[in-house]
């Protein structure tokens, strides 16, 4: 199946031949560098951290690049200009802050037609073929198939080749750089990196019968259709935290290796989820995947969130309500919430989903602006930034480095989200989790929702809100003295405009670079890759079983002007009931008691029932007035 998003697949040399001629004038190159210097110096939230942590000076490198453009003589080749700018942005190791090449590079990707997956055996990293492209693109090598182990890449041991490639990655920590290298080893975005140097690769591998073999594969370039969705095509209504480069890679990988999910999204027909799968609405097929699992004697749910990017035509409410609906379908024995490879998306989507997992009010992460005159002007000009304005004025006047930290997700929005799952929850992460996925993992850990199980020693460590240049240019509307200028030649830039801080026991710690260290570790084995992750599921089952079972079923009945509550609970010893915000009754639940009368509940608009275990709030149900009286609230109101 080939998606309608796929416009063309052509050999890499053919693509490079059509793009070799440069079109930028000297003046246009100077404008690009001047704008880069402006936004990094005046807007970039992480500049002090990056300069200190990595001993880099991106501003001076840009000044030197700008001076070089004005020299007499033949200008340097345009590809070298792009390479120099890419290197400057790469030096800050921030996947939010990128220089984006012009079309046709912007959304194109170079690939060889298979995915590489890593496993650990005897303490050594090894690699095998995990998936290949459609039959149309598969090389005619019958012995080269899913499950064979790759040993060498262009004559270099593949583990060494991956490490060399990882050194070119912009990840914020060694774990992130390595994970990105594996992820992009055979699928490389051309919008934010240079094309591969070689036209084809020589791959040595071990056949299924144990014999060594070799295959040559050319690099090809996939060109998405002009109307294919763009993860950054946002109007600024929702703050984004997203890995720009990984968003492109994820869409291309889905296009090449799993087009059925795009077909479902486009056609409105659900994907076949198999005998233990839980149906996901077609509109959310590229976001969620859900199933039930039996492992180590425990039945539990496995719910994967691939991205926090809201699909085209959907809203924030649609995103969160689908999450709530899927949680309600999960078994009560436990939930493995899987965000491996999640590149981020809408920050509020991540934090509102967190609230559906707990009865306690979560504390949303605050965001800060870098203190500068230009950021102050932006705050003054945009009503949506009013919460930051007073502290920005004080910071600029006093010389403080940052504004106050203000959360994107308000307490009022969080209070609208009902708790939708009551059993133990384990969060599964890896080093490819980034941005809003980092925020989700940090919030999960900081708000003590459950255990974080990591396949790597850290997440991707992206802690910020990303803006692109058109959003910056529109941030000073009607301001004739705005320093922002349109970028020529179809080039673009993105940057972290606000940085995120952690909460709870990690209050005030920046998320950028430091990420989320898991509570427990697991290393993927060969058996996991070829056996549907049986070892990983068994490890998750053990952690969930240790968390204990919990059930909280509440029914309210209205008769004769009196409201009564009945319970079926497990792992809960007390219930407190409030009516329209006022506490009314507290009941011990030993043996699941019969009806409990709720005084003052007749005519109530809202009844909240809270469940406690050993004095700790662990569950909550909220009821609201509807046409048929009081009904449990199961969606984001």
């Amino acid at each position: 199946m080939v998606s309608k998003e796929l416009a063309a697949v052509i050999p890499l040399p053919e693509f490079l031949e059509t793009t070799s001629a440069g079109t930028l004038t000297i003046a246009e190159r100077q404008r690009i560098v001047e704008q880069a210097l402006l936004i990094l110096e005046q807007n970039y939230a992480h500049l002090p951290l990056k300069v200190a942590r990595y001993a880099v000076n991106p501003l001076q490198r840009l000044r030197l690049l700008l001076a070089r453009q004005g020299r007499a003589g033949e200008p340097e080749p345009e590809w070298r200009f792009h390479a120099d700018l890419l290197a400057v942005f790469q030096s800050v190791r921030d996947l939010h802050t990128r220089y984006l090449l012009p079309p046709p590079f912007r959304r194109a990707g170079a690939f060889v037609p298979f995915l590489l997956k890593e496993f650990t055996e005897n303490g050594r990293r090894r690699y095998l073929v995990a998936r290949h492209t459609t039959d149309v693109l598969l090389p005619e090598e019958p012995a080269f198939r899913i499950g064979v182990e790759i040993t060498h890449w262009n004559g270099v041991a593949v583990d060494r080749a991956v490490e060399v490639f990882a050194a070119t990655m912009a990840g914020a920590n060694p774990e992130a750089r390595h994970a990105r290298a594996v992820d992009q080893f055979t699928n490389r975005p051309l919008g934010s990196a240079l094309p591969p140097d070689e036209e084809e690769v020589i791959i040595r591998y071990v056949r299924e019968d144990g014999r060594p073999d070799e295959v040559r594969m050319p690099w090809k370039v996939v060109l998405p259709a002009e109307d294919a969705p763009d993860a950054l095509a946002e109007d600024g209504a929702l703050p984004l935290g997203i890995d720009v480069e990984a968003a492109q890679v994820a869409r291309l990988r889905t296009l090449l290796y799993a087009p059925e999910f795009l077909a479902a999204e486009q056609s409105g027909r659900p994907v076949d989820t198999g005998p233990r799968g839980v149906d996901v609405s077609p509109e959310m097929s590229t976001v969620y995947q859900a199933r039930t699992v039996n492992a180590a004697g425990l039945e539990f749910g496995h719910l994967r969130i691939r991205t926090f990017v809201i699909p085209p035509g959907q809203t924030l409410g649609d995103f969160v309500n689908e999450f709530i609906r899927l949680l309600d379908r999960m078994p009560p024995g436990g939930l493995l919430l899987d965000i491996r490879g999640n590149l981020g998306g809408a920050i509020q989507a991540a934090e509102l989903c967190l609230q559906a997992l707990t009865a306690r009010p979560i504390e949303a992460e605050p965001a800060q602006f870098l203190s500068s005159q230009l950021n102050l002007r932006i705050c003054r000009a945009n009503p949506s930034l009013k919460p930051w304005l007073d502290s920005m004025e004080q910071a600029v006047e006093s010389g403080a480095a940052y504004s106050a930290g203000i959360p994107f997700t308000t307490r009022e929005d969080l209070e609208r989200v009902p708790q939708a799952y009551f059993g133990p929850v384990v969060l599964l992460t890896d080093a490819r989790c980034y941005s809003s996925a980092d925020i989700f993992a940090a919030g999960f850990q900081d708000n003590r929702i459950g255990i974080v199980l990591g396949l790597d020693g850290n997440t991707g460590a992206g802690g910020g809100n990303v803006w692109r240049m058109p959003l910056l240019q529109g941030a000073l509307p009607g301001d004739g003295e705005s320093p922002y200028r349109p970028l020529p030649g179809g080039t673009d830039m993105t940057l972290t405009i606000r940085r995120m801080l952690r909460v709870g026991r990690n209050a005030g710690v920046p998320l950028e670079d430091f990420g989320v260290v898991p509570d427990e570790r697991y290393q993927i084995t060969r058996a996991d890759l070829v056996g549907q992750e049986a070892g990983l599921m068994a490890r998750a089952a053990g952690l969930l079983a240790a968390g204990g079972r919990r059930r909280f079923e509440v029914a309210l009945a209205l008769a004769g002007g009196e409201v009564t509550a009945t319970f079926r609970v497990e792992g809960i010893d007390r219930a407190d009931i409030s009516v329209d915000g006022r506490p009314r009754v507290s009941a011990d639940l030993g043996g699941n008691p019969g009806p409990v009368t709720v005084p003052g509940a007749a005519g109530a608009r809202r009844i909240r029932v809270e469940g406690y275990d050993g004095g700790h709030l662990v569950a909550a149900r909220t009821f609201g007035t509807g046409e048929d009286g009081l009904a449990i609230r199961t969606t984001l109101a």
Side-chain angles (χ1 to χ4, degrees):
M1 180 190 302
V2 178
S3 170
K4 66 181 182 180
E5 286 189 23
L6 182 58
V9 174
I10 60 176
L12 177 63
E14 179 182 333
F15 174 78
L16 295 178
E17 184 176 350
T18 63
T19 59
S20 59
T23 60
L24 294 175
T25 66
I26 294 298
E28 288 174 331
R29 296 185 193 187
Q30 289 173 327
R31 170 175 286 190
I32 292 171
V33 180
E34 288 167 350
Q35 290 295 294
L37 187 58
L38 173 70
I39 66 173
L40 289 186
E41 186 172 28
Q42 290 288 315
N43 303 120
Y44 181 39
H46 297 314
L47 184 64
L49 170 68
K50 300 298 185 175
V51 170
R53 186 168 170 81
Y54 301 119
V56 296
N57 193 337
L59 303 183
Q60 181 61 13
R61 290 182 68 174
L62 286 170
R63 294 185 187 103
L64 293 173
L65 180 58
L66 181 62
R68 200 161 70 237
Q69 304 311 307
R71 291 176 183 169
E74 186 71 18
E76 62 185 4
E78 187 169 307
W79 70 265
R80 184 178 294 280
F81 170 76
H82 290 311
D84 287 342
L85 263 179
L86 288 171
V88 172
F89 278 77
Q90 191 96 343
S91 71
V92 298
R93 297 182 182 179
D94 181 355
L95 303 174
H96 287 134
T97 304
R98 308 303 295 264
Y99 172 62
L100 302 179
L101 296 174
F105 294 95
R106 173 70 53 78
R107 297 167 74 184
F111 73 98
V112 288
F114 68 93
L115 292 179
L116 198 69
K117 289 291 184 181
E118 177 184 276
F119 64 95
T120 301
E121 192 170 87
N122 298 323
R124 176 187 163 198
R125 287 169 167 164
R126 302 174 76 167
Y127 301 87
L128 54 74
V129 176
R131 189 174 292 185
H132 55 64
T133 59
T134 61
D135 294 339
V136 177
L137 304 174
L138 185 66
E140 296 180 1
E141 293 287 341
F144 188 84
R145 59 182 63 181
I146 293 174
V148 301
E149 183 176 347
I150 306 293
T151 61
H152 291 79
W153 182 272
N154 286 337
V156 180
V158 66
D159 54 345
R160 175 59 182 158
V162 170
E163 287 308 305
V164 170
F165 186 45
T168 70
M169 296 285 101
N173 56 61
E175 299 266 5
R177 289 191 285 278
H178 177 83
R180 293 181 70 81
V182 176
D183 199 41
Q184 298 183 23
F185 202 65
T186 59
N187 295 268
R188 303 185 183 181
L190 299 182
S192 54
L194 295 176
D197 294 321
E198 69 275 11
E199 295 182 0
E200 67 174 11
V201 293
I202 304 170
I203 301 166
R204 286 165 58 186
Y205 65 98
V206 179
R207 297 162 56 119
E208 288 183 342
D209 60 12
R211 291 186 295 160
D213 206 342
E214 185 176 286
V215 62
R216 289 176 177 262
M217 290 187 184
W219 282 101
K220 294 186 177 181
V221 173
V222 58
L223 299 171
E226 288 295 325
D227 59 350
D230 181 357
L232 284 179
E234 299 288 340
D235 61 5
L238 288 178
L240 282 182
I242 189 169
D243 178 344
V244 178
E245 184 177 77
Q248 180 192 27
V249 173
R251 197 74 182 184
L252 291 174
R253 282 162 61 109
T254 306
L255 187 66
L256 291 170
Y257 305 105
E260 66 272 16
F261 291 102
L262 297 183
E265 180 184 271
Q266 295 159 0
S267 68
R269 294 190 297 271
V271 176
D272 183 6
T273 56
R276 300 188 65 81
V278 176
D279 287 340
V280 175
S281 66
E283 298 81 7
M284 294 290 173
S285 61
T286 54
V287 174
Y288 298 112
Q289 185 177 9
R291 61 174 180 150
T292 59
V293 177
N294 275 300
L298 180 70
E299 182 183 55
F300 61 94
H302 178 202
L303 176 53
R304 186 157 195 172
I305 311 176
R306 294 191 184 91
T307 176
F308 288 107
V309 174
I310 298 174
Q314 301 298 293
T315 66
L316 176 63
D318 295 331
F319 189 103
V320 180
N321 283 333
E322 179 68 2
F323 182 66
I324 291 171
R325 186 185 73 83
L326 292 171
L327 288 178
D328 190 55
R329 302 279 188 95
M330 296 291 98
L335 173 65
L336 177 63
L337 194 56
D338 187 348
I339 60 168
R340 286 176 293 175
N342 188 311
L343 53 89
I347 294 172
Q348 287 154 301
E351 294 190 317
L352 291 173
C353 284
L354 272 181
Q355 186 62 77
L357 298 169
T358 178
R360 299 186 304 273
I362 74 158
E363 185 179 358
E365 290 193 354
Q368 292 179 305
F369 279 100
L370 180 74
S371 173
S372 72
Q373 287 287 350
L374 190 51
N375 277 341
L376 176 57
R377 287 175 60 188
I378 290 173
C379 288
R380 285 173 173 166
N382 293 270
S384 64
L385 303 180
K386 184 178 179 181
W388 285 269
L389 180 56
D390 287 347
S391 65
M392 277 294 296
E393 290 177 336
Q394 290 179 4
V396 170
E397 181 178 345
S398 65
Y402 289 97
S403 72
I406 308 292
F408 292 114
T409 309
T410 65
R411 172 52 45 203
E412 291 75 18
D413 286 339
L414 290 167
E415 288 176 349
R416 295 166 57 212
V417 180
Q419 184 182 5
Y421 192 76
F422 300 92
V425 184
V426 167
L427 181 66
L428 183 59
T429 66
D430 65 9
R432 295 180 300 140
C433 298
Y434 194 75
S435 199
S436 288
D438 268 307
I439 293 168
F440 186 87
F444 186 93
Q445 192 175 69
D446 294 343
N447 287 282
R448 297 175 289 112
I449 293 172
I451 291 173
V452 179
L453 174 62
L455 302 188
D456 299 299
N458 208 326
T459 56
N465 166 217
V466 59
W467 281 17
R468 64 192 298 183
M469 281 300 294
L471 198 54
L472 276 170
Q473 291 159 8
L476 296 175
D479 191 334
E481 297 183 359
S482 171
Y484 301 117
R485 299 288 181 268
L487 295 179
T491 58
D492 202 352
M493 298 174 198
T494 65
L495 86 157
T496 304
I497 189 71
R498 283 170 283 195
R499 72 170 190 168
M500 309 298 294
L501 302 178
R502 296 188 66 173
V503 298
R505 64 184 180 184
N506 296 300
V509 175
L511 187 55
E512 180 72 18
D513 283 3
F514 299 101
V516 179
V517 177
D519 305 306
E520 301 282 343
R521 285 287 304 275
Y522 181 85
Q523 290 184 320
I524 290 291
T525 66
R526 183 195 294 267
D528 282 310
L529 292 184
V530 301
Q532 299 188 354
E533 300 183 326
L536 173 60
M537 292 299 117
R539 178 67 180 279
L543 294 173
L544 290 169
R549 293 177 58 86
R550 180 168 289 121
R551 172 187 290 183
F552 191 55
E553 296 179 13
V554 184
L556 295 186
L558 176 62
E562 188 175 80
V563 174
T564 58
T566 56
F567 301 88
R568 290 183 62 195
V569 301
E570 190 174 356
I572 292 174
D573 55 35
R574 186 187 99 215
D576 288 355
I577 304 175
S578 62
V579 178
D580 291 335
R582 295 183 62 186
R584 289 295 187 180
V585 65
S586 180
D588 292 329
L589 299 184
N592 293 307
V596 174
T597 301
V598 184
R605 295 186 302 274
R606 182 176 182 269
I607 296 179
R608 178 175 170 85
V609 186
E610 297 181 340
Y612 290 81
D613 181 17
H616 298 287
L617 176 63
V618 294
R621 295 278 195 185
T622 301
F623 298 77
T625 303
E627 293 181 1
D628 300 323
L630 288 166
I632 191 168
R633 192 174 72 195
T634 57
T635 60
L636 177 68

